[in-house]
């Protein structure tokens, strides 16, 4: 039996608040994006402020000029990633829900980043295959945060549009310990386990995963570099 964290430890949230207060500061554009997401009825599943800033820093460390994001939601992580780009950089984000994409476009516009961001609507696998066929790669940085059952396919598509040195980050890979449950009937967990298996076998990737706790409970990120 896999032990699960049923309720959030209040200390995790307090530490996230401490991090945000000391290191992130007030960010009107990101706060407005969260408010617009809530007003638009979007699910409260954005990355946390500390995680969003981590993605921003990862993209800067990678010196990214072209970023692919799979799963836009309301554009919170999109804004953080787009801010990491140079003035002539581009971020392409894929979102299946038209309403979510509309909210994200508005949030990105209010953040002054529309010139760097292209949000495309439709099933991500279809969009990715069209992008591969059109030779739209390579991307320098890929962030995957969409339906978890398709994570292995998303990584394969990311590899097809990568170069040596491309960074790939996948969110929600611990699932409160559910990743340990080989007998799980949850397709999100099954997809995550397949993700680990495929990345572990892929000779073109050097990878690890880190567990996280905070306002998003117990979860984590898989981080890989294309060799």
């Amino acid at each position: 039996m896999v032990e699960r964290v049923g309720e959030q430890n209040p200390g995790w949230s307090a530490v996230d608040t401490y991090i945000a207060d000391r290191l992130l500061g007030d960010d009107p554009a990101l706060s407005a994006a969260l408010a617009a997401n809530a007003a638009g009825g979007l699910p409260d599943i954005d990355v946390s402020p500390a995680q969003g800033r981590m993605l921003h820093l990862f993209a800067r460390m990678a010196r990214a000029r072209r970023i692919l994001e799979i799963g836009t939601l309301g554009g919170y992580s999109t804004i953080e990633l787009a801010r990491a780009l140079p003035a002539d950089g581009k971020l392409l984000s894929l979102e299946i829900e038209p309403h979510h994409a509309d909210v994200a476009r508005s949030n990105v516009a209010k953040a002054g980043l529309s010139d760097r961001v292209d949000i495309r609507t439709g099933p991500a696998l279809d969009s990715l295959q069209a992008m591969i066929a059109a030779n739209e790669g390579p991307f320098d940085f890929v962030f995957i945060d969409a339906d978890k059952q398709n994570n292995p396919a998303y990584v394969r598509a990311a590899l097809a549009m990568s170069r040596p040195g491309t960074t790939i980050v996948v969110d929600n890979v611990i699932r409160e310990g559910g990743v340990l449950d080989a007998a799980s009937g949850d397709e999100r967990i099954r997809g995550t386990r397949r993700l680990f298996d495929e990345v572990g076998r892929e000779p073109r990737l050097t990878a690890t995963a880190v567990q996280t706790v905070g306002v998003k409970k117990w979860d984590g990120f898989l981080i890989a570099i294309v060799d």
Side-chain angles (χ1 to χ4, degrees):
M1 178 67 69
V2 177
E3 182 179 354
R4 301 290 179 85
V5 178
E7 300 204 357
Q8 182 170 301
N9 183 317
W12 299 347
S13 180
V15 170
D16 264 3
T17 299
Y18 178 88
I19 291 169
D21 287 348
R22 297 305 191 278
L23 301 180
L24 307 186
D26 183 47
D27 193 314
L30 290 174
S31 297
L34 291 178
N37 292 354
L42 275 61
D44 181 19
I45 54 174
D46 308 90
V47 296
S48 72
Q51 291 168 349
R53 187 57 48 84
M54 180 189 72
L55 293 170
H56 170 92
L57 293 172
F58 281 170
R60 287 177 61 182
M61 291 174 192
R63 299 180 181 272
R65 302 183 68 85
R66 286 175 52 77
I67 295 175
L68 171 62
E69 179 182 50
I70 303 174
T72 316
L73 193 62
Y76 186 94
S77 57
T78 314
I79 291 169
E80 279 282 25
L81 288 169
R83 286 174 169 176
L85 289 167
D88 61 346
K90 292 296 179 184
L91 185 154
L92 199 160
S93 189
L94 307 178
E95 173 57 46
I96 192 170
E97 295 290 346
H99 174 60
H100 295 179
D102 287 342
V103 173
R105 290 187 187 100
S106 176
N107 288 335
V108 167
K110 290 175 182 175
L113 295 165
S114 293
D115 60 328
R116 303 182 196 181
V117 176
D118 176 8
I119 298 173
R120 300 183 187 178
T121 307
L125 289 177
D126 293 346
S127 297
L128 290 166
Q129 289 308 308
M131 291 167 60
I132 292 168
N135 196 28
E136 293 197 44
F139 291 92
D140 307 306
F141 188 93
V142 181
F143 178 48
I144 300 172
D145 188 12
D147 52 311
K148 311 310 172 188
Q149 54 268 40
N150 280 319
N151 274 344
Y154 294 147
V155 169
R156 289 194 295 271
L159 270 171
M161 294 186 287
S162 294
R163 56 163 179 80
T166 293
T167 300
I168 300 173
V169 178
V170 187
D171 196 7
N172 306 126
V173 301
I174 304 302
R175 311 206 65 81
E176 298 191 25
V179 71
L180 298 177
D181 188 357
S184 176
D186 186 330
E187 282 301 316
R188 296 168 298 181
I189 290 173
R190 293 166 69 91
T192 301
R193 289 177 60 86
R194 290 194 301 273
L195 169 73
F196 273 91
D197 290 343
E198 290 200 21
V199 170
R201 291 192 299 262
E202 175 52 66
R204 292 172 291 175
L205 291 174
T206 298
T208 189
V210 291
Q211 301 181 75
T212 60
V213 296
V215 295
K216 299 301 178 180
K217 298 186 179 181
W218 177 22
D219 216 325
F221 294 86
L222 184 145
I223 305 162
I225 297 287
V226 179
D227 294 324

